[in-house]
Amino acid sequence: MIDGMVSVALPKGRLGEKVYARLKTAGYPCPSIEEENRRLIFDNPVAGVRYFWVKPSDVAIYVERGAADVGVAGKDILLEYAPDIYELTDLGLGLCRMCVAAKKDFRDRTDRLLRVATKFPRIARGYYASISRDIDIIHLNGSIEIAPILGLSDVIVDIVETGKTLLENGLEPKAVIVPISARLIANKVSYKFKHDQIMELCRRVEAQSGKDKS
């Protein structure tokens, strides 16, 4: 936590660039972040903000542990890892869905365990527990779409944006578990000691979000 400034953990990639653009318009610019360089930390004391880039799945850790006052993380990350943070607002960015997907001709045989390949075991277990279905989790980190094709799993639980990748691999969504979008989150200690600054940033970003939708 940086005294006098609000430190913001931004996810690397397109989402982080969209988030920064919104923060910039909301009154939190940082010219050095827009320069061609390999730096990861950027300060603008005049605007009272410090930004740094981190891997999207690590944002919640930086915020939970207090290295950042606030950050932007996908709802999928928050559901899967359940970090001890405050979720302030839905930014309406990075819209997608957490889905169950399988081959088009898949039919669930309830007389045996359902094999589920996923990067999100907590979310998958929670969903199938809610419908009283016993499952065998196969935890993968990439190329999940090929698991049903090669017979490794019956279904997958993964993020779906357009569905094009599923279609190209002979799969289709079978159920939507939860809609996913980017959320502004805050460290609990920072929220107490920098409450006014954090809530002002949140209000400005929410106001800008409304303009983007109009």
Side-chain angles (χ1 to χ4, degrees):
M1 287 175 268
I2 311 300
D3 292 337
M5 291 194 290
V6 174
S7 58
V8 183
L10 292 173
K12 290 181 180 178
R14 287 184 301 166
L15 175 60
E17 291 168 3
K18 289 180 180 179
V19 171
Y20 169 70
R22 186 168 288 182
L23 285 160
K24 176 183 177 181
T25 307
Y28 298 94
C30 188
S32 60
I33 203 173
E34 301 173 48
E35 299 170 357
E36 286 289 335
N37 57 58
R38 293 181 177 271
R39 292 170 54 195
L40 298 174
I41 302 174
F42 309 87
D43 294 343
N44 186 349
V46 175
V49 68
R50 161 175 279 193
Y51 294 112
F52 53 90
W53 296 112
V54 298
K55 186 177 178 180
S57 58
D58 290 341
V59 169
I61 298 172
Y62 279 86
V63 174
E64 181 181 33
R65 296 283 183 160
D69 298 312
V70 299
V72 175
K75 186 64 175 179
D76 54 314
I77 299 298
L78 304 182
L79 290 172
E80 182 62 29
Y81 299 105
D84 187 22
I85 49 82
Y86 290 134
E87 185 177 321
L88 302 181
T89 192
D90 183 346
L91 297 177
L93 296 170
L95 300 175
C96 52
R97 300 159 287 156
M98 184 68 67
C99 292
V100 177
K103 292 180 180 179
K104 294 180 180 180
D105 61 355
F106 169 75
R107 296 293 180 271
D108 189 3
R109 288 179 50 191
T110 56
D111 60 329
R112 63 177 178 80
L113 281 176
L114 182 71
R115 297 171 302 159
V116 182
T118 186
K119 302 177 201 173
F120 304 97
R122 181 195 290 264
I123 293 173
R125 287 193 185 96
Y127 170 71
Y128 281 105
S130 74
I131 60 174
S132 301
R133 183 66 170 98
D134 292 330
I135 63 172
D136 174 21
I137 289 284
I138 302 167
H139 193 173
L140 299 177
N141 294 307
S143 301
I144 288 180
E145 293 83 6
I146 69 172
I149 299 169
L150 299 180
L152 179 63
S153 72
D154 301 306
V155 303
I156 65 173
V157 168
D158 202 9
I159 292 173
V160 176
E161 188 172 356
T162 65
K164 183 178 179 182
T165 301
L166 292 179
L167 183 63
E168 290 180 350
N169 287 281
L171 307 179
E172 66 180 14
K174 298 294 184 179
V176 176
I177 297 176
V178 65
I180 301 295
S181 58
R183 311 299 170 100
L184 182 67
I185 61 175
N187 173 270
K188 289 187 171 181
V189 175
S190 297
Y191 187 80
K192 178 179 179 180
F193 289 100
K194 297 185 179 181
H195 182 268
D196 291 346
Q197 292 161 276
I198 289 172
M199 290 312 299
E200 176 64 17
L201 182 147
C202 184
R203 281 191 291 269
R204 290 193 193 183
V205 171
E206 285 181 324
Q208 190 59 43
S209 298
K211 291 177 182 178
D212 289 349
K213 293 174 184 177
S214 61

